[in-house]
Amino acid sequence: MQLLVVEDEPQMAELLRQGLTEDGHVVTAAHNGLDALALAASEHFDAIVLDLMLPGLDGLEVARRLRTAGCLTPILMLTARDRVADIVTGLDSGGDDYITKPFALDELLARVRAVARRGPIARPVVLSAGGLALDTGSRTATRAGRAVSLTRTEYLLLELLMRNAGRVVPRDTIVAGVWGYDNEVEPNTLEAFVYLLRTKVDHGHAHRLIHTVRGVGYMIREVPA
Ligand code: CA
């Protein structure tokens, strides 16, 4: 399997790389959260092994950003503490499983195989908000029963907003989730796509769903302001 291993400590990173490689996996290493996000956005991985103690962006924030950006790759978290509160926080941030340091290599290998075997995390197939329904299987949308025709980018943008309905999605997160972290996006590109999306989703309806939060980003809000 293709694995992304995120760990800053050189010794631990090497131990993980060696053990997982010997177990037949192809390992890509990242030593900080930003590198991990960039790699996850540009390459395919079957699973991510994510240490929670990282300099800068910690593992919890990395997991949150991955999920907000629509990444469904299973995540196995490495945590130094086994306090229930820490574990709950980790899984709530987007982790699929965790293992406490120090751990036996065999146990880690077994967990990685198990997490990856489950495949991309399950999500509801139809997302809905305020009469708008988005089928993530067929990538089609309807509002009040009427079909909404979307281009690929419009779909990705709408899916990201729908998955975060009721929450503001920052511009950077949207750009990263829709276009990928490696891509430079022209300043008005996002505005243009939001405009297009509004004409398709909100035009002709009494209540607008897509709202601009000035200086921050965009959100889908069901209740009219
Ligand atoms: Ca670490």
Side-chain angles (χ1 to χ4, degrees):
M1 287 183 295
Q2 306 276 346
L3 302 178
L4 174 61
V5 173
V6 192
E7 167 65 278
D8 59 307
E9 294 144 65
Q11 261 187 316
M12 178 58 85
E14 178 53 22
L15 180 84
L16 291 167
R17 192 198 61 76
Q18 203 177 334
L20 290 164
T21 303
E22 279 172 16
D23 204 41
H25 303 293
V26 178
V27 174
T28 301
H31 304 294
N32 62 63
L34 286 177
D35 287 353
L37 291 173
L39 283 163
S42 61
E43 293 179 32
H44 166 81
F45 296 104
D46 299 298
I48 299 171
V49 177
L50 176 65
D51 187 39
L52 293 190
M53 298 284 285
L54 296 169
L57 278 190
D58 69 11
L60 293 177
E61 186 56 27
V62 171
R64 272 189 212 108
R65 291 195 190 187
L66 285 170
R67 295 308 186 220
T68 305
C71 172
L72 301 180
T73 307
I75 298 175
L76 174 67
M77 292 175 157
L78 306 181
T79 163
R81 292 171 296 190
D82 60 357
R83 282 177 47 215
V84 172
D86 295 331
I87 291 157
V88 167
T89 305
L91 299 181
D92 192 43
S93 304
D96 297 286
D97 195 7
Y98 68 94
I99 189 166
T100 309
K101 288 179 176 180
F103 50 79
L105 188 59
D106 280 350
E107 192 189 351
L108 175 87
L109 297 177
R111 295 291 190 88
V112 168
R113 283 192 292 262
V115 156
R117 215 169 24 236
R118 268 183 250 152
I121 56 174
R123 294 283 191 172
V125 172
V126 177
L127 305 166
S128 62
L132 174 66
L134 187 70
D135 187 323
T136 59
S138 62
R139 296 197 158 196
T140 54
T142 56
R143 180 150 187 207
R146 210 175 62 209
V148 178
S149 163
L150 300 170
T151 64
R152 181 177 173 280
T153 301
E154 288 164 357
Y155 170 82
L156 292 174
L157 175 57
L158 185 58
E159 184 188 344
L160 182 54
L161 293 175
M162 291 284 279
R163 285 193 187 281
N164 294 280
R167 292 194 296 263
V168 183
V169 186
R171 294 180 50 94
D172 288 354
T173 304
I174 297 175
V175 169
V178 173
W179 286 278
Y181 284 85
D182 286 349
N183 290 345
E184 288 290 325
V185 176
E186 294 295 325
N188 294 326
T189 305
L190 177 54
E191 281 72 14
F193 274 105
V194 170
Y195 173 81
L196 289 168
L197 207 50
R198 280 193 170 125
T199 63
K200 294 183 174 184
V201 169
D202 282 337
H203 187 76
H205 294 275
H207 299 308
R208 286 189 300 125
L209 289 174
I210 302 170
H211 294 262
T212 304
V213 181
R214 210 165 289 282
V216 184
Y218 297 94
M219 73 183 293
I220 286 195
R221 197 163 51 207
E222 294 192 42
V223 186

